[in-house]
Structures are given as structure tokens and as C-alpha cells.
Amino acid sequence: MPDCVSDESAVASSIAPQPETSNSQQLALSELSPRDKPWDKHRGNADKVAALYAGSEFQRYSNRVEFCSELLKFGLVPDADEGDLKLKLRAARFCRVRHCPVCQWRRSLMWKAKAYKVLPRVVEAYPKHRWLFLTLTQKNVPISELRDTLAAMNRGFQRLVQLKAFPAIGWLRSTEVTRGRDGNGHPHFHCLLLVPSGYFAGKNYLRQSDWVELWRKSMRLDYDPVLDVQAVKKGSQPMELVPELLKYCTKESDLVADREWFLELTRQMHKLRTIATGGILKDYLKELEEEPADLIGDSESGEVDEASLFFGWRRREKKYRMVDR
Ligand SMILES: [Zn+2]
């Protein structure tokens, strides 16, 4: 993942951060548009991340995250549901640092949008097939061993999908790393599997204990790993799993909990991909393996804006407020 690449291509050149003023009379973004409330939370955590990077070997990340999305340009567009106007993001300058809370949130939104668009096509092409949601884990490890552990899990997963007993004809896998209470890292895989229609009644059906056995064998572990497998109900759509599948790699509260842990996470995760696809799902979803080129989302680009509104980040107040342009 090109997390060091600066991206300003989608941004109007006229946009530059404004000096912070204490004018709290200006309308807050969260007041005008409640559905844009997450901006304040993510941008607030981005300030924390910038502070954690400051003075470390990642000083350049600190600088980039600090100025990430300081000014947002929204267009006003008709809201089909409400019959009113709504805000649509038109431009922002994103830092693209991997663990920037704003950028990881936008990245996840773009991935989800893509999956919501594409998965119905898979359902249409394989209407009788069924879906499984599989979560694979292993023991927690010191964060300093995360990179080696993820590499071992990758190899284990490759062995798993090559087993004759592996029932899926397609899969999508995302990596999540959480922080255990003891400060250890808890790496795990979330997997969406597409299995043939006869899977549940046939001899290839795998019980939970069978999955544990296969994963243990593939990982060459000397203990039974924790694992969860759930079937999407017949007739239900795999789309309901998308939020869990394509969320952040590490949740924001874990990112900002401990500076040393976070710096080590940054070292360990450097340039690792967090999404992988295989089998027939590769044909549909391979694009998810790459960093989205667009973090704005231009699916409604055909609409004509009624007007543009600008919101600037008020660092001390932890809110975006309108600025005059
Ligand atoms: Zn950013």
C-alpha cells in the first residue's frame, strides 16, 4: 500500500488551510449535517495521532497527519430520500498516512461502497451459492512480533485454501489487529467465503471443530486456535457482512491508547496489505487490494451543486465550523 504517497490530485488548488480564528458563531458541520458528525471524531483522533508521531522517526507522518483534511469543501445537492438538500464532500486534502484516523475511515468508506456495488453482481451470478463468515485467530503476540506473525498467518491461510477440504470457490479476507489489555497485539483475519449450494447437506460440510482442526494444521500450531464460523442465512445477502469485513485495520481507540505500541504498530505494518481476495471473488473484488485512488467518493458527480460550503477544523474546539470563502 503506497502510504507515503502524497495525494492532492482530487483537490481544487484554491483550497488552502485557513488560520484558526476563535469565531464560534459560525455554524458547526455537525449541527448543519448530523450525518457528517464522524468528521469531528476522526479529525480529533488525527490530532492525537499527529502528536504521537511528533518527535519520533515518523516526524514526517506527524506533519502530514496534522494538516490532513483541515479544510473541507462540500457541495449542496438534492437529497432523494428527504426531498431536501444535503451536503456532499467535494474536496479535501488527505494525508494518506496509513494510520491516519481520517484517511483510514475514508478508505474504509470507499472499500465498502465498492463492495456494496459489486457483491450483488456475485449473488446474481451464483444465486444458489451460500456465504460463510469466518474469523481466524491465533494467540496474542508482543507487538514487536506482529510482522512475522502476520507473515506466518498469511502462509497458514495459503495452505488452508489449498487443502482439498477447503469448501469455498471464492474468498475475501481482511486483516484486523487489536490491542489486548496486556499490550499484546491480537491479529486476526475476517473472511467472507462463497461455498456451493450443497455445502450444508453434503459430505464436504465442516463443523466448527473441523475448521479448528484445519486452521491448526495449516498454521502448524501446537494448540487449538480460537475461531468463529457463521453461515449467512439462506436467502440473506452477503452485503450485511460488509461493515464488519471492511472496517479499519486497527480501531482508533487502540491507535491512540499507547505511544510506544502505536509507533511499533507503524513499523510492523509498514507497506503490508490488509485485504486479499481469491478464487472467483478475485475477479470481482481485486480492486479492494489496492489503496483507493479516490477518498472523496464521486458516485454522485453527475449532480449539479446548488452552492459550495467550506468547513475548517477548529483544533482547540475539536469541531469543523463553516468558514467564509
Ligand atoms: Zn489523513
Side-chain angles (χ1 to χ4, degrees):
M1 183 179 292
D3 63 346
C4 305
V5 179
S6 170
D7 177 71
E8 298 174 0
S9 56
V11 181
S13 58
S14 61
I15 295 181
Q18 287 231 320
E20 186 160 344
T21 65
S22 57
N23 187 357
S24 59
Q25 303 308 308
Q26 296 278 27
L27 203 53
L29 175 60
S30 56
E31 292 161 359
L32 184 65
S33 174
R35 55 181 228 139
D36 284 303
K37 240 182 182 158
W39 277 104
D40 288 342
K41 181 188 124 191
H42 299 302
R43 187 48 257 191
N45 279 325
D47 279 341
K48 290 183 189 169
V49 160
L52 294 177
Y53 278 140
S56 74
E57 80 250 44
F58 302 115
Q59 178 62 48
R60 66 187 191 285
Y61 288 175
S62 177
N63 301 341
R64 281 165 55 191
V65 175
E66 185 179 354
F67 296 113
C68 179
S69 54
E70 278 201 306
L71 187 72
L72 310 176
K73 178 187 180 185
F74 286 91
L76 275 172
V77 297
D79 186 341
D81 304 328
E82 308 283 327
D84 202 353
L85 294 174
K86 66 174 178 183
L87 294 185
K88 170 83 181 77
L89 184 67
R90 288 300 185 210
R93 195 183 295 252
F94 293 110
C95 72
R96 298 215 174 230
V97 170
R98 166 177 237 148
H99 300 292
C100 166
V102 173
C103 291
Q104 96 168 1
W105 166 55
R106 299 303 302 179
R107 195 181 294 128
S108 160
L109 287 178
M110 297 306 123
W111 278 332
K112 285 178 195 168
K114 174 78 186 169
Y116 284 131
K117 212 181 280 178
V118 171
L119 280 174
R121 296 217 300 265
V122 185
V123 172
E124 208 184 325
Y126 298 87
K128 293 256 173 5
H129 281 56
R130 298 282 302 273
W131 299 83
L132 303 180
F133 189 57
L134 177 66
T135 302
L136 301 169
T137 77
Q138 66 134 64
K139 275 182 184 163
N140 292 3
V141 290
I143 193 72
S144 57
E145 295 171 16
L146 180 65
R147 196 175 185 86
D148 289 344
T149 305
L150 286 173
M153 287 177 69
N154 256 315
R155 289 193 298 272
F157 189 83
Q158 284 310 319
R159 286 194 283 267
L160 177 72
V161 302
Q162 282 161 17
L163 291 178
K164 224 174 146 212
F166 187 72
I169 62 161
W171 51 267
L172 170 67
R173 192 195 79 193
S174 68
T175 303
E176 184 177 0
V177 180
T178 52
R179 183 175 184 274
R181 269 195 213 130
D182 54 3
N184 280 338
H186 173 53
H188 49 288
F189 289 150
H190 295 297
C191 313
L192 178 67
L193 307 182
L194 180 62
V195 295
S197 56
Y199 168 71
F200 288 96
K203 60 177 173 24
N204 293 332
Y205 174 73
L206 299 171
R207 291 165 301 166
Q208 156 101 14
S209 55
D210 299 325
W211 278 108
V212 171
E213 185 58 38
L214 292 183
W215 181 233
R216 176 184 169 139
K217 201 166 108 185
S218 302
M219 283 293 290
R220 297 171 181 167
L221 299 171
D222 58 3
Y223 60 90
D224 284 344
V226 175
L227 172 156
D228 186 64
V229 59
Q230 289 181 30
V232 174
K233 271 193 258 122
K234 202 172 182 175
S236 289
Q237 302 283 325
M239 281 69 91
E240 65 194 44
L241 298 171
V242 165
E244 182 66 14
L245 201 61
L246 297 175
K247 54 185 185 182
Y248 43 75
C249 172
T250 301
K251 62 175 185 273
E252 289 176 31
S253 55
D254 282 352
L255 290 179
V256 300
D258 179 276
R259 183 168 188 255
E260 278 315 310
W261 192 90
F262 175 61
L263 296 179
E264 190 57 32
L265 177 79
T266 304
R267 289 177 204 114
Q268 296 283 323
M269 294 291 296
H270 185 61
K271 289 194 186 292
L272 291 187
R273 284 175 200 268
T274 56
I275 295 185
T277 57
I280 69 103
L281 287 184
K282 199 174 196 72
D283 303 335
Y284 291 87
L285 293 163
K286 190 177 180 353
E287 221 178 282
L288 299 185
E289 294 181 357
E290 304 298 332
E291 168 86 6
D294 164 34
L295 291 182
I296 305 273
D298 63 352
S299 57
E300 297 157 283
S301 57
E303 294 167 346
V304 179
D305 288 353
E306 305 279 335
S308 290
L309 297 174
F310 291 86
F311 293 85
W313 176 238
R314 300 285 171 244
R315 187 154 278 127
R316 283 183 297 273
E317 205 193 342
K318 296 185 170 42
K319 263 186 188 167
Y320 281 96
R321 282 193 185 277
M322 204 181 285
V323 289
D324 297 326
R325 301 295 297 178

